[in-house]
Amino acid sequence: MKNRKRNLTMLAVMMFVCAAVALNWSYNSRWGKPDAEMVYAEDEAMAAAQVEFEKTLVTSGTEYFAEARLTRQVSRDEALELLQTAAASDAASQETIDGAMSAITNMAAWSLQETQIENLLLAKNFEDCVVYIGTDRVTVAVPAPVEGLSEEAVARITDVICTETNYSPSQLSIIEVKA
């Protein structure tokens, strides 16, 4: 009895494998053989598109900063949604609601400060920048030349951060984004 079940199972598996091979063969033969001219044309088009894309990245230079801002906004939106859900829950205690509302208020204040600092740094002759403010740290990403930021540039960034926030220079991280 055991051998019969095993043999039937093996036969079923073999039938499925054969059916898969037959279907694969019929699907591939329906499309015919690739035309060498068409493959060459597609390869050329892909190569040209890649070169064009790389030129766009080099000339735009703000790709990193735009992506960083988008990532920051998406993560903030997700956190905000979770906090609002926690605060609106029927089972939430008053302490949970107060904590969520405090976190929402902090996020709104940080978002406004980040935008204000970014605008001030742009006004102080930085090409672009992204600022992240957290509970105990401020991180600033700015484009930097190959040799790195000058002491004067670091001083300008530190001055803006310390003037606009309650953070000290020791709580500041500056990330140099090389082009």
Side-chain angles (χ1 to χ4, degrees):
M1 185 68 168
K2 259 186 173 178
N3 285 339
R4 186 174 179 197
K5 284 184 180 179
R6 183 179 57 118
N7 289 340
L8 285 174
T9 304
M10 287 180 59
L11 181 63
V13 169
M14 290 297 291
M15 286 176 55
F16 283 124
V17 169
C18 289
V21 168
L23 287 172
N24 189 24
W25 178 79
S26 70
Y27 178 78
N28 286 335
S29 65
R30 180 177 350 154
W31 295 105
K33 299 212 183 269
D35 181 15
E37 216 173 281
M38 180 63 100
V39 170
Y40 179 75
E42 287 176 354
D43 288 346
E44 288 295 314
M46 289 299 289
Q50 180 68 25
V51 167
E52 204 56 41
F53 177 71
E54 289 171 359
K55 282 182 186 175
T56 304
L57 284 180
V58 170
T59 57
S60 72
T62 60
E63 186 73 21
Y64 169 81
F65 296 101
E67 191 173 317
R69 279 189 200 92
L70 180 63
T71 302
R72 178 184 68 192
Q73 187 61 43
V74 167
S75 63
R76 285 259 169 89
D77 290 346
E78 289 172 356
L80 185 62
E81 186 176 325
L82 288 173
L83 289 168
Q84 287 173 336
T85 302
S89 173
D90 293 335
S93 67
Q94 188 59 41
E95 184 179 326
T96 302
I97 293 171
D98 291 344
M101 296 311 269
S102 174
I104 289 171
T105 303
N106 286 340
M107 285 174 52
W110 292 338
S111 182
L112 289 172
Q113 280 184 323
E114 289 167 349
T115 303
Q116 187 173 5
I117 291 168
E118 288 171 0
N119 288 334
L120 288 170
L121 289 174
L122 291 174
K124 292 198 177 257
N125 294 327
F126 285 96
E127 292 175 31
D128 207 348
C129 63
V130 177
V131 178
Y132 301 96
I133 298 178
T135 53
D136 60 348
R137 185 151 215 72
V138 177
T139 304
V140 180
V142 294
V146 176
E147 62 274 0
L149 290 173
S150 66
E151 288 182 24
E152 186 261 334
V154 171
R156 283 187 290 162
I157 294 170
T158 304
D159 179 54
V160 169
I161 298 298
C162 292
T163 303
E164 296 299 317
T165 67
N166 294 328
Y167 294 94
S168 66
S170 65
Q171 295 173 302
L172 173 63
S173 292
I174 299 174
I175 299 172
E176 298 178 6
V177 178
K178 307 284 187 200

